[in-house]
């Protein structure tokens, strides 16, 4: 019963309601791990994230020997460092993961710019955003079209603990 409401809130395609595009999880960590490990398993290659990501993302990327890039002084991913990493790596990049809103300092990641860089320099990579902190601060309908995978944890916006969602674009 929650799927249509979630899809509407995310402005996700209606297919997400019935198919594999809207996956109910036990929370943000499970969704983040599934997005990263799933992209690596499906596409091979490495994951990329910033050093300020939540540990659910950062530890997963480090465990899989991914690329961790610097951040700005505000806690968002350094766009120049991201572009340089994607442009210069000899490795295939399977997923780039960035948080939509920093969980410690509240800075908002410029997802439009991140998406542009990823699409230009790693066009085959899945773009994932950990939107756990974003649900109360940013219009999720503006984020959803920019990314391939988005993860949420319901307790951050009034739902029960132990519930989350992973939205994945059709074909991802």
């Amino acid at each position: 019963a929650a799927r249509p409401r979630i899809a509407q809130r995310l402005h996700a395609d209606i297919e997400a309601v019935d198919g594999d595009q809207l996956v109910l999880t036990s929370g943000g960590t499970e969704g983040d791990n599934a997005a990263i490990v799933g992209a690596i398993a499906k596409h091979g290659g490495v994951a990329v994230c910033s050093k300020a990501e939540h540990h659910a993302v950062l530890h997963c990327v480090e465990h899989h020997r991914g690329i961790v890039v610097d951040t700005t002084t505000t806690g968002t991913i350094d766009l120049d460092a991201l572009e340089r990493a994607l442009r210069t790596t000899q490795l295939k990049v399977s997923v780039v993961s960035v948080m939509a809103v920093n969980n410690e300092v509240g800075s908002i990641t410029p997802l439009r710019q991140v998406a542009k860089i990823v699409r230009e320099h790693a066009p085959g990579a899945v773009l994932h955003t950990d939107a756990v902190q974003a649900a109360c601060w940013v219009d999720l309908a503006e984020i959803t079209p920019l990314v391939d995978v988005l993860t949420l944890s319901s307790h951050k916006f009034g739902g029960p603990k132990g519930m989350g969602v992973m939205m994945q674009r059709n074909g991802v």
Side-chain angles (χ1 to χ4, degrees), residues 8-157:
Q8 181 182 21
R9 172 80 190 239
L10 295 175
H11 284 240
D13 295 336
I14 196 67
E15 295 173 52
V17 175
D18 298 320
D20 294 336
Q21 292 173 267
L22 200 60
V23 179
L24 301 179
T25 67
S26 65
T29 297
E30 182 182 10
D32 290 344
N33 285 196
I36 294 165
V37 174
I40 293 169
K42 183 171 182 178
H43 304 290
V46 298
V48 176
C49 73
S50 82
K51 66 182 182 181
E53 297 304 312
H54 186 278
H55 288 159
V57 169
L58 182 62
H59 290 171
C60 188
V61 170
E62 290 173 335
H63 177 77
H64 289 280
R65 296 190 171 108
I67 300 168
V68 178
V69 301
D70 284 332
T71 59
T72 66
T73 56
T74 62
T76 62
I77 193 165
D78 182 318
L79 298 174
D80 292 333
L82 174 63
E83 183 175 355
R84 193 168 38 259
L86 296 178
R87 193 179 61 241
T88 62
T89 185
Q90 300 298 310
L91 304 170
K92 177 184 176 186
V93 176
S94 56
V95 59
V96 176
S97 181
V98 294
M99 63 175 58
V101 175
N102 185 288
N103 62 303
E104 294 195 21
V105 296
S107 53
I108 298 172
T109 298
L111 280 169
R112 284 191 196 290
Q113 293 165 288
V114 169
K116 183 176 186 257
I117 291 167
V118 171
R119 303 300 181 223
E120 182 178 337
H121 297 287
V126 170
L127 178 55
H128 165 253
T129 192
D130 174 339
V132 168
Q133 295 295 329
C136 292
W137 307 106
V138 178
D139 184 358
L140 296 176
E142 292 180 15
I143 295 173
T144 303
L146 301 173
V147 300
D148 300 308
V149 181
L150 179 142
T151 51
L152 295 167
S153 185
S154 70
H155 75 279
K156 295 293 185 175
F157 53 93

Side-chain angles (χ1 to χ4, degrees), residues 156-170:
K156 295 293 185 175
F157 53 93
K161 287 189 176 198
M163 301 283 302
V165 66
M166 179 177 70
M167 183 283 304
Q168 48 189 348
R169 191 155 316 291
N170 194 15

